[in-house]
Amino acid sequence: MYMRFTDNLFGSNTSHSKNTGCNSNKDYKRMSFNGPKGGNGGRCNKRKALRASNFWMFGTVVFLAIAVLLTGCSGGSKDPSNSGGSKDTEKIIKIGMVGPLTGDYATYGQSVRNGVQTAIDEINEKGGVNGLTLQLVAEDSKGDSTEAANAIQKLIDQDKVTAIVGAVLSGETATVAPIAQDSGVLMITPSSTAPGLADTGDYIFRNVITDDVQARQMAEYAVSELGLEKFAVLYANNDYGVALKDNFTAKAEELGATIVAVESYLDRDEDFRAQLTKIGDKAEALYIGGYYTEASKIAQQAKRQGIEARLLGADGFYSGKFVELGGDAVEGALFTAGFYSGDTSEDIQSFVSNYKQMYEEEPDMFAANAYDTMKIVAQALEKSGNDRDALKAEMAAVKDYPGVTGKTSFAANGEALKEVIILKVENGRFSRAR
Amino acid sequence: MLQQVVNGLTLGSTYALIALGYTMVYGVLRLINFAHGEVYMIGAFTGLMASQIPGLPFPAALLIAMAGAAVVGVAIERIAYRPLRKAPRLAALISAIGMSIFLRNLTLAVMGPQTRAFPVPFEVRHFSIGRLRINSFDVLILVTSVGLMIGLHFLVQKAKIGKAMRATAQDMETASLMGIDVNRVIAFTFAVGSALAAAAGVLIGMNFNAVEPSMGMMPGLKGFVAAVLGGVGSIPGAMIGGILLGMAEVMGVALLRSEWRDAIAFGILALVLLIKPSGIFGGNLQEKV
């Protein structure tokens, strides 16, 4: 387990280079701490009374050392390759990535980082982009918009990346997109789905199905193809959930269905029984606008309350964890998605097996979108060379790129046009319903 | 509506279990142990790992979780609070917050960020009384938390160590002059409070089938609100405060809008602090503060 974590956090570095980097950091920290205070031992002889405070200083040093070990290394994923490649920087194209690699949203950021890394490894194995090697510089935003802004500034000014894949969360992307736009650096988010993000400017792209498109397609499928008429909506009170709720209810009502109840919850809530009791058995189907962590709990609590409404949702459901956590309560649930790892096509299967080999888990939609995004950027780079402006023009011209998430083109505003598929939970597995 | 009362009672009794830890520690040390939510989380993880041992019955897993969390709680006290006992209270508070962040990120580093499922160790049964539906979890949560609270009551009121705890809470220096080993009493308080939090963590983790490193944050805060509501330092106060808070939240969703849930919880905190800062049962501590 621990090994897997280090693999995830530190990317593909060998553990050796990682350790030396951190040990030297730690030593440096320790010296700089003791140094100015006269670390030659003179101080220790002064008074016994200082011992307690020395214990605390020791504690602080240990704490700092651990902090450096943890933070220094996650940022350090680039160090070894930096020093290795310093003499021939000409032969390297740096790609930046920003997203939550630690903290509450780490699972999304790590998936994106792993997806990009998988694509880069495949590209480099085949000789890189016009003979140039791609190199990933991944920065941790901790899910915090301010941290994301600092990270992107660093990527642009210090690392001088050619393009940035990110940010991951919609809030982060909204904050950092104007910075990338002003600096004239291509930024493409593989996961932020809030409406309007790609409109920030001509350097900003998005390669993911937006919330409004998904919700409308699900409403249409549920009403027209499943023949359902009475819906309840339970949504997460955040950008994602609100966009899903608004568009689902609008489209469903437009098609003549009734919305019998609309309830909300907050991110990381665990107890949904009050809302579910309120919804009761009034609806034929329950549309959940939120992520699998909450949706699986909602499903279980609904089942225990005897609510038999059909579960509908969006790509936030798409994770093996949804079935693992939800068990038989999520059986039959339907949701929209942009990627299906069970697809039998050769591209998808080779991506899935490469990814699994590296990270010991199935790629989720974040990883798949990130992988496709990196491949699309690489394809554009092949035509544009290592040039930020030419790259932007080539990106805008991408048409029907055949990736693992289906065919991708970009609209004039940088928004990806992708197909929406509908998946179903059947016998504890995902299968394609449409 | 009766269904909502059951929802509120089960939610509230878990808040009460968490609030007890805050209140007991505050009682003896005048310190808000902000790492308490993390103890709850570590308890849930320990319970999860224990319940994966084949053949181990659930009560044993629960006890292992409580024991594990008790050890963690005592360690926190030893490492982060005891050296600061004579320091200004702010230092201990900052140390508590640091401990909380440290433990959460340590768990994140060791266990990974993913939510884990908690295997249900028994068959879930449903009971219907009219339109009211109760399941095994509701019963388990209520029985366990009420049982633990009764046990705690006897421990504090009747046992010798409980008497020592109350003496320490009244005046630490005098208590130590009377021959009470204050350090031992404080460690014991942390152990009991942490064990209760672990029980809540296991119950919640199993009921909602999810255990993850940041799960302690919200329940930790809510437990704190419940403790303040009942009167920090008062054990019956924490129990009543927890139940009241759970009921208020559920009724807020049932009668108002679901967005209001946390606004109600923390609105209560603000109101209590404004109107009766000592909480419902908190009067007897005034002279110390």
Side-chain angles (χ1 to χ4, degrees):
Chain A
M1 193 59 225
Y2 181 71
M3 277 315 290
R4 224 187 89 202
F5 162 70
T6 51
D7 284 350
N8 276 348
L9 196 63
F10 306 127
S12 56
N13 298 324
T14 64
S15 59
H16 177 70
S17 55
K18 175 192 78 204
N19 281 342
T20 44
C22 284
N23 286 341
S24 62
N25 264 349
K26 193 166 69 178
D27 293 340
Y28 168 74
K29 235 350 194 245
R30 193 171 283 157
M31 280 166 61
S32 69
F33 190 81
N34 282 337
K37 297 221 160 94
N40 51 13
R43 187 168 179 271
C44 304
N45 301 331
K46 277 187 184 167
R47 270 193 299 152
K48 263 264 164 80
L50 271 177
R51 273 194 56 195
S53 70
N54 276 345
F55 171 76
W56 273 98
M57 288 204 172
F58 176 73
T60 318
V61 171
V62 170
F63 185 79
L64 280 178
I66 292 171
V68 168
L69 198 83
L70 290 174
T71 55
C73 282
S74 65
S77 61
K78 62 213 174 277
D79 288 348
S81 23
N82 251 2
S83 47
S86 59
K87 56 176 180 277
D88 47 10
T89 36
E90 299 292 293
K91 293 210 163 117
I92 282 177
I93 299 178
K94 284 189 184 173
I95 304 293
M97 179 268 163
V98 184
L101 301 177
T102 60
D104 293 344
Y105 302 97
T107 162
Y108 311 127
Q110 290 187 6
S111 283
V112 167
R113 204 261 326 271
N114 296 349
V116 172
Q117 188 66 54
T118 309
I120 285 182
D121 290 348
E122 283 180 20
I123 294 161
N124 285 341
E125 214 162 279
K126 287 179 188 152
V129 174
N130 299 335
L132 304 177
T133 310
L134 293 180
Q135 185 192 98
L136 177 64
V137 186
E139 288 292 334
D140 184 9
S141 69
K142 305 179 182 73
D144 180 300
S145 295
T146 318
E147 297 264 1
N150 292 338
I152 207 140
Q153 206 76 61
K154 176 193 169 278
L155 287 173
I156 293 169
D157 299 336
Q158 219 169 304
D159 298 308
K160 308 217 179 313
V161 296
T162 306
I164 294 164
V165 178
V168 173
L169 308 175
S170 288
E172 294 174 352
T173 306
T175 310
V176 301
I179 302 175
Q181 174 68 25
D182 289 345
S183 316
V185 177
L186 176 90
M187 187 182 109
I188 174 163
T189 171
S191 59
S192 302
T193 51
L197 289 178
D199 296 329
T200 313
D202 51 350
Y203 284 89
I204 311 302
F205 290 76
R206 152 150 70 192
N207 181 30
V208 62
I209 300 162
T210 53
D211 306 337
D212 39 342
V213 173
Q214 286 194 66
R216 286 169 178 274
Q217 295 244 0
M218 181 47 91
E220 205 176 319
Y221 181 76
V223 176
S224 310
E225 295 195 33
L226 302 177
L228 301 169
E229 282 166 352
K230 285 190 282 182
F231 297 96
V233 179
L234 183 54
Y235 68 99
N237 206 351
N238 57 27
D239 289 355
Y240 180 64
V242 170
L244 289 174
K245 173 209 63 161
D246 285 347
N247 287 285
F248 183 86
T249 48
K251 186 73 184 175
E253 281 175 341
E254 186 188 313
L255 294 169
T258 26
I259 307 292
V260 293
V262 177
E263 294 292 328
S264 72
Y265 60 86
L266 293 171
D267 276 342
R268 325 205 70 79
D269 270 1
E270 299 205 304
D271 188 343
F272 307 93
R273 292 173 302 173
Q275 287 96 320
L276 289 168
T277 302
K278 217 172 154 188
I279 290 170
D281 49 9
K282 287 185 281 187
E284 293 170 327
L286 172 63
Y287 185 75
I288 302 173
Y291 286 105
Y292 63 88
T293 34
E294 283 86 16
S296 55
K297 292 174 200 160
I298 292 172
Q300 288 207 321
Q301 291 169 34
K303 193 176 177 220
R304 281 193 216 138
Q305 292 209 357
I307 294 174
E308 277 159 16
R310 201 131 184 205
L311 292 182
L312 309 174
D315 57 3
F317 283 17
Y318 191 45
S319 162
K321 287 274 171 189
F322 181 55
V323 178
E324 190 188 324
L325 299 172
D328 53 356
V330 300
E331 187 67 24
L334 289 156
F335 57 94
T336 46
F339 169 67
Y340 174 41
S341 65
D343 196 294
T344 47
S345 85
E346 201 181 311
D347 282 354
I348 294 179
Q349 282 318 307
S350 99
F351 162 60
V352 171
S353 76
N354 280 350
Y355 189 94
K356 263 187 174 165
Q357 208 179 344
M358 284 279 283
Y359 304 109
E360 291 169 7
E361 59 184 20
E362 284 254 327
D364 55 13
M365 54 153 185
F366 290 90
N369 271 329
Y371 174 86
D372 266 0
T373 303
M374 189 58 238
K375 285 281 180 94
I376 291 172
V377 171
Q379 193 193 25
L381 272 170
E382 215 147 84
K383 294 179 189 151
S384 70
N386 195 359
D387 178 297
R388 286 172 173 176
D389 284 314
L391 175 63
K392 173 197 75 174
E394 286 301 334
M395 279 296 291
V398 170
K399 187 118 189 77
D400 287 338
Y401 172 84
V404 296
T405 59
K407 287 199 171 96
T408 303
S409 306
F410 289 102
N413 62 355
E415 201 75 80
L417 306 169
K418 304 169 82 79
E419 57 179 326
V420 177
I421 60 179
I422 290 178
L423 297 180
K424 184 180 188 180
V425 181
E426 228 168 14
N427 303 321
R429 309 187 68 94
F430 297 125
S431 67
R432 200 166 163 165
R434 190 192 78 178
Chain B
M1 189 46 78
L2 205 57
Q3 183 76 56
Q4 298 285 26
V5 173
V6 173
N7 295 343
L9 276 178
T10 48
L11 182 67
S13 53
T14 54
Y15 286 161
L17 284 181
I18 303 171
L20 283 169
Y22 277 111
T23 240
M24 288 166 63
V25 166
Y26 186 86
V28 293
L29 276 187
R30 303 292 178 272
L31 165 76
I32 301 294
N33 177 14
F34 272 112
H36 197 56
E38 275 56 48
V39 173
Y40 158 92
M41 176 269 295
I42 290 170
F45 266 104
T46 317
L48 172 62
M49 286 187 282
S51 66
Q52 277 160 346
I53 301 170
L56 194 75
F58 172 70
L62 184 66
L63 284 178
I64 291 176
M66 290 172 73
V71 170
V72 173
V74 171
I76 292 174
E77 194 270 328
R78 185 75 190 81
I79 295 167
Y81 303 148
R82 189 177 298 181
L84 292 174
R85 202 173 290 160
K86 298 274 185 297
R89 210 157 298 160
L90 189 61
L93 189 71
I94 293 168
S95 179
I97 294 170
M99 207 61 200
S100 157
I101 297 172
F102 171 73
L103 287 175
R104 194 181 326 138
N105 282 286
L106 184 72
T107 315
L108 193 65
V110 177
M111 308 301 289
Q114 262 84 19
T115 307
R116 286 147 189 266
F118 204 118
V120 181
F122 49 82
E123 200 188 336
V124 183
R125 295 176 53 186
H126 300 269
F127 314 94
S128 290
I129 308 162
R131 292 190 58 197
L132 181 69
R133 284 176 62 95
I134 300 176
N135 60 50
S136 321
F137 287 108
D138 298 329
V139 177
L140 177 74
I141 288 178
L142 283 175
V143 168
T144 314
S145 20
V146 170
L148 286 172
M149 284 186 234
I150 292 173
L152 180 71
H153 179 80
F154 279 107
L155 180 77
V156 173
Q157 295 300 331
K158 303 275 184 258
K160 201 170 176 194
I161 183 88
K163 208 176 265 180
M165 273 163 78
R166 282 183 290 143
T168 311
Q170 254 174 24
D171 191 325
M172 198 187 291
E173 272 178 32
T174 313
S176 75
L177 288 175
M178 299 296 162
I180 292 173
D181 184 349
V182 172
N183 279 338
R184 227 184 102 232
V185 170
I186 290 173
F188 184 76
T189 308
F190 268 86
V192 173
S194 303
L196 293 176
V202 172
L203 292 175
I204 294 258
M206 196 172 59
N207 188 14
F208 301 145
N209 194 30
V211 176
E212 45 115 6
S214 59
M215 69 182 282
M217 262 162 70
M218 251 311 155
L221 281 176
K222 298 275 177 71
F224 174 60
V225 175
V228 172
L229 175 60
V232 183
S234 154
I235 288 176
M239 299 181 190
I240 302 289
I243 304 278
L244 277 181
L245 180 67
M247 290 303 272
E249 274 191 32
V250 167
M251 289 306 158
V253 174
L255 304 173
L256 301 167
R257 291 166 58 94
S258 20
E259 290 93 329
W260 288 77
R261 184 180 204 136
D262 284 1
I264 289 172
F266 294 106
I268 289 177
L269 176 66
L271 267 183
V272 171
L273 289 176
L274 278 174
I275 297 167
K276 194 172 187 299
S278 53
I280 301 172
F281 290 83
N284 58 338
L285 285 167
Q286 278 300 334
E287 78 274 18
K288 277 290 291 188
V289 186

